Amino acid sequence: MKADGIGASVKRKEDHRFLTGNGQYTDDIILPRQTYAVFVRSPHAHATIISVDATAALAMPGVVAVFSGKDIEDSKIGGLPCGWGITSKDGTPAIEPPHPILCIGKARYVGDHVAVVIAETIEQARKGAEAVEVDYGILPAVVATGTAAASKTSVHDQAPNNVCYTWGHGDEAGVKAAFANAHHISELSLTNQRLAPNAMEPRAANAAYDRSSESYTLYVSNQNPHVERLLMCAFVLGIPEHKMRVVAPDVGGGFGSKIFLYAEETVLVWASKRVNRPIKWTADRTEAFLSDAHGRDHVTKAQLAMDKDGKFLGFRVDTTAAMGAYLSTFSTAVPTILYGTLLAGQYTTPAIYVEVTAVFTNTSPVDAYRGAGRPEATYVVERMVETAARDMKMDPAEIRRRNFIRSFPYATPVGLTYDVGDFDATLDGAIKLADVEGFAARKAASEARGMKRGIGYSSYIEACGLAPSNVAGALGARAGLFESGEVRVHPTGKVEVFTGSHSHGQGHETTFAQVVADKLGIPIDDISISHGDTGKVLFGMGTYGSRSLAVGGSAIVKAVDKVIAKGKKIAAHLLEASDTDIEFVNGEFKVKGTDKSVPFASVSLAAYVPHNYPLDKLEPGLNENAFYDPTNFTYPAGCHICEVEVDPQTGKVEVCSFTAMDDFGNIINPMIVEGQVHGGVAQGLGQAMLEDCIYDPESGQLLTATYMDYAMPRADDFPNFKVGTSVTACTHNPLGVKGCGEAGAIGSPPAFINAVTDAIGVKHIDMPATPERVWRAMQTAVSA
C-alpha cells in the first residue's frame, strides 16, 4: 500500500486552513460597494397579506431598496421548482402549488418571506426591516402531520384536503395473502419526529450583477452549485445559464439542507440587478431554525406477518409524511423513492407494500436530511423486527439471522437489486465488538445499583451513490445523477483535479487526492482538488446521498485512466516503442520485458514541450475529463448495537456503549471513514435522545427556534464509540466503494430505542426518548 494512497489514514489536507482560521466561507466574502439584506418574515403560520407598506423603511438612513411579493409578481418571476415528480397510486400527478420567492397574497408558515430590505450595513437593514409595516389577516393553521388530511383548513387552494399525493409501492395483493396465512402479526405505530439540520455554518449568499457583461455571480453556502444555477436560471429567473456563475466556497456543513434552491439567494440575484450592487445575506440561528428545510416528520403504522418459526412473510407500512408549506427541491422523493424502496432492509421478506400520504402543513418545508428517507425506513424496519422478536420470544440476533439475505445479487420486492453483501459478517462482528456475551453480567451489576440496563440491535442497509440517471428519471427525477471529473496535468507533473462533487466536511481534498496519487504513483502533495465553482468545474451534480466517492471518485478515475492512456502513447514515442508495449507502474511508463522507462513527470513535460513530437498523430497537452453514471446504487450495510442504562427514578438514559460494524466496500481513508461514522452516530443519537422541532398545535409558532429550546447532543452525552468494518466490494464501480457519510445516522436511532425499550420493558417509546418521556413510559408500564 502506498503511504499516501488508497487505504492509508492520511491526515486531512484541508484541516490546516480550517484550524488556523484561513477557511473562506460565504459570509467572509465582501465585494466592492457591498450592501446587506434582511428579510421581513411572517410572524403567523397562515395569513393573508393585506398590505405591505415600506414608506417608513425607505426613509431610514442607509436603506437602498425594499421589495415585496408585488414586485416579484409584477416582474413575472417564477416560483421555486420541485425537482422530482411523483405520481399518486390513482395515476394523477402530485399537486405542486406555486412557491413564490416572496409571498404573493398569503404567508403559509412562520418565517415565510414577505419582503426584503437592502441597506448599506446589516444594522441599517435590520432597522429598515423593523420599519416595514405588514397588515395580516390571520387564518387557522394546519400544524399536525397526522391530522392534516382531515383538517377543514387548506394550506393551498389546489389541495383542498392538504394531500399532495398518495403513493403506493409494492405487492399489495401478495401482502394480503401473506397476512391471511400468517402465524403471528406484529404491529407498531410510531413517529419519526421533525428535525432541524443545524449545520455549523448558517446559510448565506452574496449576489452581484455586472452590467458591463450582463452577468451574475452568486457566492452561496450550497452543496451542488451547478444544480443551484440550473434551477435558478431555467425555472425561476430566466437568466441565460452562461451568464450566471455560482461559487460555493468553503461550506461549514450541510447535512442535506444546502442541496436545495432557496428563496433567499434567488431574491438576492434578482435584486442585485435592480440595485446594481452586490447584496449579502447571512441567516442568524433562529432564522435558520425557521427557514432551513427540516427533516423527517413521519407518522407510521407498520405490520409484519410471520410463520411459526419467525420467518417474515409480509410487511405492510402506512405512512403520512409532512411536506411543510411548500414543496422543496427534492421533498417529494424522500418519503417515496428513498423510503419505500428500502423497506426490505437486510431481509428476505417476499411481499412488501407501502402507502405514503404526503400532506401540506403550515410549517417549514421538509426535505432531505442526513440519510433522507433511509433513516426513516430503517427505523420502521428495525423497530418492527425488534418488536417481532419480543412477540415471538426469540433472540433479536437470531430472528435477524433467520431472515437475512445471503444470495446475491438479490432483487427486493420493492424495486432494488442489492449487488453484494454479507450481513452475517457485520452482525457477528458487532456482537463480538460489543461483547454481547458479557451483557448479562453488566445488566446484573446495573440492577444491583437500582438501575435498568438494555441492549438494542439495528441491522441497516441503505441505497447510496444516488444514480443511475435512467433509473432515477423513470422514478420521477427531473435531472441527471451522473458526476464529472477533470484531471489537468501540468508540464512539471503536478496535477489539478476538478470535481463536480462538493466538499462541506467530508474530506474530499484528501480522499480524492489519495485516489489520484495511488493511480498515478505521485506524492499526494503534488495534487490539488478544486470544486464548487461553476466557472471552473465541469457540470456536476454535487454532494448528497453518500455519492461523492462512488460517483464523483469514479469519474475522476475514468479521467485519470484517459491521462494514463495518452501518457502511454507519449512514452512510446519517447522510448521508441509501440504503445501496446507500454505499461504504467508506480509512476513510471515502462517497456514491457525491458529496463527502459520514463517517469510520469518527463511524459507530462513532453506533452507540453512537443519537440520532435508526432503532432499529426498526437495533440499536445495532458488534460482529460470524464463523466460517470453508474449502473446501480451502492448498498452500504451494517449492524449497530447500543447498550443503555436507565435511572428509574428520573428516566435519564445513559448510553453506556455504542458499537458500529459497517460494510462500506473498499475504504480509501480509514481515519476519515471512522470520523464520518462518529459524526453520523452522534447525529442519529441526537435525534433518538434529544432533538425535536415542536410547533404550537394551534398557532403554528415554532417553539424550538433557539438552542435554549432545541436540545442538541453534547460530547458528554456519548461514550467512546466502537467502530469496525468488514468489506464486500461494490461490484459496479471502479473503486469498489459504497459510501459512508450517512450510515451512522441511519443505524443508530433504532438501536438506541430498541435498547431503551428493552431496559424499561415497554413495547415502544417515540423519539426523542427524553427523561420525562421515559419516566412516564415506566409509570404506565408499572400501572399496567
Side-chain angles (χ1 to χ4, degrees), residues 655-667:
V655 180
C656 302
S657 71
F658 194 96
T659 301
M661 178 64 68
D662 301 292
D663 178 0
F664 299 133
N666 294 332
I667 292 176

Side-chain angles (χ1 to χ4, degrees), residues 173-195:
V175 168
K176 285 182 179 179
F179 275 68
N181 296 312
H183 170 76
H184 178 77
I185 298 171
S186 291
E187 297 186 2
L188 200 60
S189 295
L190 63 163
T191 297
N192 202 307
Q193 81 274 30
R194 179 182 287 238
L195 303 174

Side-chain angles (χ1 to χ4, degrees), residues 108-167:
R108 291 183 169 86
Y109 67 99
V110 174
D112 209 351
H113 318 74
V114 176
V116 63
V117 176
I118 301 161
E120 300 287 349
T121 69
I122 187 65
E123 292 81 8
Q124 290 170 332
R126 287 189 183 122
K127 290 179 180 178
E130 291 170 359
V132 174
E133 296 181 5
V134 184
D135 188 9
Y136 295 97
I138 301 173
L139 300 170
V142 180
V143 180
T145 300
T147 59
S151 175
K152 295 179 181 179
T153 300
S154 299
V155 179
H156 295 278
D157 293 341
Q158 298 92 327
N161 62 352
N162 295 313
V163 173
C164 175
Y165 58 78
T166 300
W167 180 81

Side-chain angles (χ1 to χ4, degrees), residues 122 142 193 197 201 206 258 279 373 449 464 480 547 620 642 721 741 748 781:
I122 187 65
V142 180
Q193 81 274 30
E201 176 208 22
N206 195 344
K258 295 176 182 176
I279 311 169
R449 293 185 289 106
C464 293
R547 73 191 303 271
C642 182
F721 301 139
S748 55

Side-chain angles (χ1 to χ4, degrees), residues 105 184 236 256 284 286 323 343 370 394 401 407 418-419 437 444 509-510 580 591 594 609 683 685 693 773:
H184 178 77
V236 188
D284 63 35
T286 290
M323 296 288 97
L343 289 170
R370 197 171 190 167
M394 291 179 63
R401 287 192 182 98
S407 177
Y418 303 162
D419 63 326
E437 189 177 333
E509 293 176 37
T510 304
T580 58
V591 180
T594 75
V609 187
Q683 214 153 354
L685 290 178
C693 280
R773 186 169 283 174

Side-chain angles (χ1 to χ4, degrees), residues 430-446 449 452-458 640-646 653-660 685 689 717-722 748 750-756 758-759:
I431 286 173
K432 183 177 180 181
L433 194 59
D435 185 24
V436 172
E437 189 177 333
F439 173 71
R442 295 191 294 275
K443 183 178 178 70
S446 293
R449 293 185 289 106
K452 295 180 178 290
R453 199 175 191 98
I455 191 167
Y457 293 74
S458 172
H640 292 184
I641 298 177
C642 182
E643 198 168 317
V644 302
E645 190 175 71
V646 181
V653 181
E654 179 187 353
V655 180
C656 302
S657 71
F658 194 96
T659 301
L685 290 178
M689 299 167 65
D717 289 314
F718 307 127
N720 289 324
F721 301 139
K722 301 173 186 177
S748 55
F752 175 85
I753 295 296
N754 288 341
V756 171
D758 178 56

Side-chain angles (χ1 to χ4, degrees), residues 383-397:
R383 283 294 297 121
M384 197 71 257
V385 170
E386 198 81 8
T387 300
R390 294 170 191 173
D391 288 351
M392 299 291 285
K393 296 180 170 50
M394 291 179 63
D395 177 80

Side-chain angles (χ1 to χ4, degrees), residues 550-701:
V551 188
S554 294
I556 292 170
V557 167
K558 286 185 67 177
V560 170
D561 287 343
K562 291 181 180 180
V563 166
I564 294 171
K566 184 174 181 180
K568 286 181 178 180
K569 294 179 180 180
I570 298 171
H573 167 70
L574 297 176
L575 295 170
E576 299 180 334
S578 169
D579 59 345
T580 58
D581 292 329
I582 301 296
E583 60 183 359
F584 184 64
V585 182
N586 296 327
E588 289 189 327
F589 294 92
K590 297 181 178 182
V591 180
K592 296 174 186 176
T594 75
D595 60 357
K596 295 175 65 176
S597 66
V598 60
F600 179 75
S602 296
V603 168
S604 65
L605 183 61
Y608 291 97
V609 187
H611 297 166
N612 191 27
Y613 196 84
L615 293 172
D616 57 329
K617 299 178 182 177
L618 201 59
E619 64 183 25
L622 200 52
N623 178 15
E624 300 288 348
N625 63 62
F627 289 83
Y628 179 74
D629 200 332
T631 58
N632 194 0
F633 298 103
T634 65
Y635 298 100
C639 179
H640 292 184
I641 298 177
C642 182
E643 198 168 317
V644 302
E645 190 175 71
V646 181
D647 184 341
Q649 300 300 314
T650 64
K652 185 178 186 300
V653 181
E654 179 187 353
V655 180
C656 302
S657 71
F658 194 96
T659 301
M661 178 64 68
D662 301 292
D663 178 0
F664 299 133
N666 294 332
I667 292 176
I668 304 302
N669 187 313
M671 179 190 69
I672 287 178
V673 166
E674 185 171 348
Q676 287 286 303
V677 173
H678 280 220
V681 169
Q683 214 153 354
L685 290 178
Q687 173 179 10
M689 299 167 65
L690 298 163
E691 298 182 48
D692 196 358
C693 280
I694 300 173
Y695 283 90
D696 183 276
E698 299 298 327
S699 69
Q701 293 290 332

